[in-house]
Amino acid sequence: MLNNIAFNADLIENGVWVQLQQSWFLIASVENNKFKSAIFDHGRNQFTDDEFCTLLAKFILLGWKDVKQPNGSDLAYSDEMAKIALMTNDDVRMLVDHVSTNLKYFCE
């Protein structure tokens, strides 16, 4: 019955583009190998929010387009800016949480 479900390993590892308002976010699956390795290599099963957002910024939220600064200019993507967005913007955090944990985004 579930034999007809195929996941795309490239999308799991390298992400899918998802729109939030006028901005686009490149989000990988929590099933990607780099994220899982980072979690398991950490050696703990509890993370502070700061630690977890660092991991999300490095391995899950991989990029963005059309994210604007308050003055209207484009905000360049970096791991550090992604971490700040994840820690301070509930909409971005909820989007990343939803997409990265929902395998429907990573099906062929």
Side-chain angles (χ1 to χ4, degrees):
M1 179 165 110
L2 295 178
N3 295 347
N4 61 344
I5 298 174
F7 295 105
N8 184 318
D10 182 60
L11 295 178
I12 288 170
E13 296 295 324
N14 300 309
V16 294
W17 286 102
V18 181
Q19 188 173 15
L20 176 65
Q21 298 175 2
Q22 287 78 36
S23 301
W24 289 86
F25 297 87
L26 182 60
I27 302 171
S29 170
V30 294
E31 295 297 323
N32 85 61
N33 291 320
K34 292 176 188 173
F35 181 72
K36 289 193 301 188
S37 291
I39 294 289
F40 293 127
D41 290 348
H42 197 275
R44 295 189 341 224
N45 55 357
Q46 296 235 348
F47 296 87
T48 65
D49 195 48
D50 183 76
E51 292 169 328
F52 193 64
C53 285
T54 297
L55 292 173
L56 289 176
K58 186 168 184 172
F59 301 113
I60 302 297
L61 178 54
L62 304 178
W64 60 47
K65 296 187 280 191
D66 300 323
V67 173
K68 303 294 183 187
Q69 297 190 61
N71 67 6
S73 64
D74 284 332
L75 179 63
Y77 176 86
S78 69
D79 289 353
E80 185 59 33
M81 291 309 300
K83 178 183 172 184
I84 291 168
L86 289 162
M87 293 188 73
T88 61
N89 188 306
D90 289 339
D91 292 334
V92 171
R93 180 73 174 263
M94 286 189 297
L95 178 71
V96 169
D97 287 344
H98 173 75
V99 173
S100 68
T101 60
N102 192 330
L103 289 176
K104 78 176 185 178
Y105 289 96
F106 307 99
C107 292
E108 294 187 326

